Amino acid sequence: MLSRTSTKCARAVHPPWRRLLATETVTQTPSTAPTPPPRSKKSLRPHISTAIILNRSPIITRTPTLFEQAYYAYQARLRRALHNPFPYDFYFKQGTLLETRFNIEERKRERLAFGPGFLEKEDVSEEKRAADIAAVEQLALQEGEGEELMPRTRPENIEGDVKSLDRRGKRNLYLLLHASDDGKDIWRFPQGDVEKGQFLHQAAQKDLYAECGDLMDTWIVGKAPVGVYKPPQPIGASQETAERVVFFFKGHIMAGQVKPESGNIKDFAWLTKEEIETRLEGNYWDAVKDILSDY
Amino acid sequence: MASQGASTAVRHSVTRFQRPPRITRRLRRNPKTGLPQPHVKITTREFAPCRLEDHSQTTLKDDLMYMTYKHEVGERPPPRQIRLRFDPNDPYTKFRHNPPVGGPQLGTRPAPPCTPENVVRLERIQLHTMVKESIANKSHLLGAMMQMRALTGETFQGGGHHAVEGIQITRGKKSVGGWLRPGVPVGVKVDLRGQSMYDFLGTLVEFVLPRLRDFSGIVLPPQSSSIKTPASVAGVVSFGLPANALVFFPQIEVNVDAYPKLYGMHIHFVTNATGVGAQDRARALVSGFQVPFIRR
């Protein structure tokens, strides 16, 4: 079956990596490279910090929408109608219990797909059929089937508990901290300053541990930041104050839980994108909203 | 309670179907099989949600984009032209053999610029088995074909897709000293795409690899090996499974006695990565599906 994601990339007529043939002529293109803006004579070194967008990936598949359910049911029915004949002799020995079970289940699936009138009536006596069904049930008991699956939603006290990593299993969750910085109570991602001579991605890992404790297994994705945020200068600040720059890194949590270490962290929460929007300030939200997943 | 009843009713109405319409026009019969043919071309598409595809779309794609992104400013400079270019209108050079300047550029081809469209993704998985005995006797291929068929369920133009080739027979390409001749069948292969590809990958990662005792991961080449070989710019990750690993596939495990002999196979993960470092990007993708790698 062909993938819905496979797309054909349009090839450029002259790929840039190809060297020309000896007889080809080069068409001169005027260079349109923009000249860099003139730098101010004396600019202060900006104050750099890193923030980590710590993600808990979905732990269960999402529920298909009604349209998707209808689509899948229709396609499954088409497949069933068009499939090649199943080689019974190859997979089952004649007259075994496993074959009987497969036949009973297959008839059930056919009836579900094509309706009760589709199949011919089985050519077996009532007693034989009842005995078959009893034997198959016995087999299922022996094999320990019929265990109940875990529910796809947790009870309300877990779903609503923002500190639990088990809530909202179908969604991506992100860690948000409730911190008091400079006397202001705000929600923000884990954050810390970069020391001199430190790489950004190393600083990100260190800052995460410094604020959230080392009781969790985390992995910082890549060495390059995934986003940047420049907080607005506070009103009344002079021109000489250094610009603040926050680089965002993406991280994954594999195991463990947050245990706030530093005193200025009051609380933490694992939140979906919509829940994060209600807690962040406007500028900050605009900087991170495209990094967060809608699923 | 009432709303719950209503929602189940809605679900049933979209997943169940009424009686099919009565056939008013006579259906044409296929001259070969004698079976009735519908008036329209029927193709089937995804028939169930696919967990690994969702994973690759929502989690892997983002992470791989962040990990493989290379920042470039402006357009790339054109390659250095190292020989005089001749006038194409010159009758001397017009019809002469005119190879690209500077020798083969295969291993040095840079990767295309990073865009959201060409984030590395899995295009197909190819399974390939060579059956040596089939050179002497073609019928030895039947076991391997049946094994591939059980593993993948692929058939020729299965689901009405003309590009799906099912299980193909590979043939010898050149003559090898009294042993192999061109055109002689030597093995079978199958290409998996889309849903069946992800199904196979899930089975491999969850049922087979954890149960292999002496498999700790796909072996990486030593760090000193060249990164400019054709293989390392192709974006394909390959490894092999021996014949005794095949019994761990649930499709084969159920009736392993039915096979006279099991055949090992090569597995190629073909990605869309190209250019320098393509194999590393392909490995990053494949390891995102929990296929382990080790370095000896």
Side-chain angles (χ1 to χ4, degrees):
Chain A
M1 176 173 271
L2 298 172
S3 169
R4 79 182 95 148
T5 55
S6 74
T7 49
K8 279 183 187 146
C9 294
R11 288 260 167 84
V13 182
H14 278 296
W17 41 262
R18 217 200 72 193
R19 277 204 179 128
L20 298 176
L21 299 176
T23 49
E24 275 173 306
T25 49
V26 174
T27 51
Q28 285 291 333
T29 51
S31 76
T32 53
T35 51
R39 296 188 97 187
S40 61
K41 258 185 185 171
K42 190 183 169 191
S43 56
L44 279 172
R45 192 178 276 272
H47 185 95
I48 295 175
S49 3
T50 55
I52 300 94
I53 297 178
L54 196 63
N55 171 21
R56 194 230 51 197
S57 303
I59 47 179
I60 53 174
T61 52
R62 70 193 167 83
T63 313
T65 60
L66 270 184
F67 175 74
E68 282 173 316
Q69 284 176 27
Y71 181 82
Y72 289 142
Y74 176 66
Q75 294 295 343
R77 196 159 160 259
L78 262 188
R79 282 242 147 192
R80 181 163 282 277
L82 295 180
H83 78 277
N84 284 15
F86 180 73
Y88 286 89
D89 311 347
F90 182 72
Y91 281 100
F92 300 110
K93 288 205 179 74
Q94 284 272 310
T96 53
L97 190 55
L98 290 177
E99 190 193 17
T100 315
R101 180 172 70 174
F102 183 79
N103 281 337
I104 290 176
E105 287 175 353
E106 186 66 7
R107 284 184 75 84
K108 217 179 265 174
R109 289 191 283 261
E110 294 270 292
R111 195 166 60 230
L112 196 71
F114 302 122
F118 178 74
L119 287 175
E120 293 164 12
K121 205 158 165 32
E122 263 184 313
D123 191 21
V124 290
S125 62
E126 270 314 307
E127 298 89 55
K128 175 83 168 63
R129 192 214 304 258
D132 281 348
I133 290 172
V136 167
E137 277 171 2
Q138 185 69 29
L139 182 67
L141 271 184
Q142 281 171 7
E143 291 186 349
E145 282 178 18
E147 284 176 26
E148 273 199 27
L149 298 174
M150 292 279 285
R152 282 175 61 81
T153 49
R154 292 308 187 86
E156 194 48 46
N157 60 348
I158 293 181
E159 290 287 323
D161 176 15
V162 291
K163 293 190 178 181
S164 167
L165 274 164
D166 294 335
R167 69 189 292 259
R168 308 299 299 271
K170 297 168 204 166
R171 298 290 310 272
N172 277 293
L173 296 184
Y174 299 95
L175 174 66
L176 223 56
L177 299 180
H178 191 202
S180 56
D181 293 346
D182 311 331
K184 266 202 306 181
D185 277 4
I186 49 160
W187 284 92
R188 59 164 174 79
F189 291 101
Q191 188 174 323
D193 291 342
V194 180
E195 286 162 20
K196 199 176 179 187
Q198 206 171 26
F199 289 121
L200 273 181
H201 63 281
Q202 290 167 348
Q205 182 78 69
K206 186 193 61 88
D207 296 337
L208 180 65
Y209 285 146
E211 286 208 319
C212 306
D214 54 358
L215 296 180
M216 49 184 186
D217 272 350
T218 55
W219 175 59
I220 305 290
V221 179
K223 293 180 179 175
V226 301
V228 64
Y229 169 55
K230 290 179 181 169
Q233 294 281 11
I235 301 156
S238 62
Q239 289 292 317
E240 268 77 64
T241 44
E243 192 184 24
R244 296 183 71 88
V245 182
V246 181
F247 287 109
F248 291 102
F249 279 80
K250 188 183 176 186
H252 284 289
I253 181 165
M254 312 295 175
Q257 180 57 289
V258 178
K259 191 180 164 223
E261 293 276 314
S262 59
N264 62 345
I265 306 298
K266 292 179 178 169
D267 203 1
F268 69 91
W270 291 97
L271 303 170
T272 61
K273 188 176 182 180
E274 293 84 62
E275 291 164 339
I276 288 174
E277 187 178 5
T278 61
R279 303 195 189 208
L280 291 189
E281 289 170 4
N283 285 332
Y284 198 57
W285 167 249
D286 286 340
V288 298
K289 67 180 178 191
D290 293 333
I291 302 173
L292 309 179
S293 171
D294 289 323
Y295 286 109
Chain B
M1 201 63 207
S3 71
Q4 197 184 4
S7 79
T8 49
V10 170
R11 200 165 64 236
H12 282 210
S13 71
V14 296
T15 56
R16 290 193 183 162
F17 299 89
Q18 296 177 351
R19 190 171 299 160
R22 213 153 51 81
I23 297 172
T24 50
R25 225 166 88 192
R26 249 182 96 81
L27 289 174
R28 259 186 312 154
R29 299 253 164 193
N30 188 326
K32 269 188 196 160
T33 58
L35 293 171
Q37 280 180 316
H39 301 300
V40 289
K41 187 175 182 310
I42 295 176
T43 34
T44 64
R45 302 200 182 272
E46 288 81 8
F47 54 91
C50 186
R51 183 174 63 86
L52 280 182
E53 189 174 0
D54 278 359
H55 170 63
S56 70
Q57 283 289 323
T58 57
T59 305
L60 278 188
K61 201 175 172 191
D62 292 10
D63 287 357
L64 286 164
M65 187 173 74
Y66 296 147
M67 287 164 69
T68 60
Y69 182 73
K70 284 224 168 57
H71 191 66
E72 289 177 45
V73 181
E75 279 184 25
R76 288 183 175 179
R80 197 162 58 96
Q81 302 299 325
I82 56 172
R83 201 198 288 168
L84 282 175
R85 279 187 297 281
F86 299 105
D87 182 11
N89 297 324
D90 182 357
Y92 178 77
T93 51
K94 196 172 181 186
F95 296 114
R96 278 185 179 261
H97 175 54
N98 192 9
V101 184
Q105 302 285 314
L106 186 62
T108 57
R109 177 183 302 179
C114 297
T115 59
E117 287 77 35
N118 67 7
V119 174
V120 55
R121 63 171 180 268
L122 201 54
E123 303 254 296
R124 65 188 160 103
I125 294 179
Q126 188 175 65
L127 313 180
H128 171 244
T129 297
M130 182 188 172
V131 185
K132 266 186 196 164
E133 304 90 70
S134 70
I135 298 170
N137 185 355
K138 272 188 270 192
S139 63
H140 281 110
L141 281 180
L142 283 174
M145 285 164 77
M146 202 63 207
Q147 173 193 314
M148 287 289 186
R149 184 72 205 283
L151 276 180
T152 64
E154 290 286 288
T155 51
F156 177 67
Q157 299 195 343
H161 291 278
H162 72 276
V164 172
E165 291 177 278
I167 288 148
Q168 305 162 62
I169 292 175
T170 54
R171 294 169 184 279
K173 278 187 182 169
K174 51 187 170 184
S175 191
V176 181
W179 174 60
L180 189 61
R181 279 167 291 120
V184 172
V186 284
V188 292
K189 68 170 181 179
V190 57
D191 279 349
L192 301 173
R193 290 165 197 271
Q195 200 162 15
S196 57
M197 170 177 79
Y198 288 112
D199 286 350
F200 176 81
L201 185 54
T203 317
L204 179 74
V205 163
E206 274 156 37
F207 291 97
V208 183
L209 297 186
R211 291 202 273 173
L212 291 179
R213 195 162 285 198
D214 49 356
F215 177 83
S216 46
I218 302 177
V219 179
L220 292 169
Q223 254 165 345
S224 56
S225 64
S226 165
I227 56 160
K228 289 192 172 177
T229 57
S232 67
V233 294
V236 180
V237 178
S238 304
F239 77 111
L241 281 182
N244 58 11
L246 268 288
V247 290
F248 297 125
F249 279 97
Q251 303 97 313
I252 289 183
E253 201 178 12
V254 285
N255 64 338
V256 75
D257 304 337
Y259 299 90
K261 189 187 166 192
L262 288 173
Y263 300 91
M265 60 182 178
H266 299 286
I267 300 173
H268 307 285
F269 300 100
V270 183
T271 67
N272 69 338
T274 53
V276 170
Q279 201 172 31
D280 291 338
R281 274 173 277 138
R283 283 187 191 125
L285 169 68
V286 172
S287 76
F289 291 109
Q290 299 193 330
V291 176
F293 287 85
I294 57 157
R295 175 160 270 150
R296 288 250 167 80

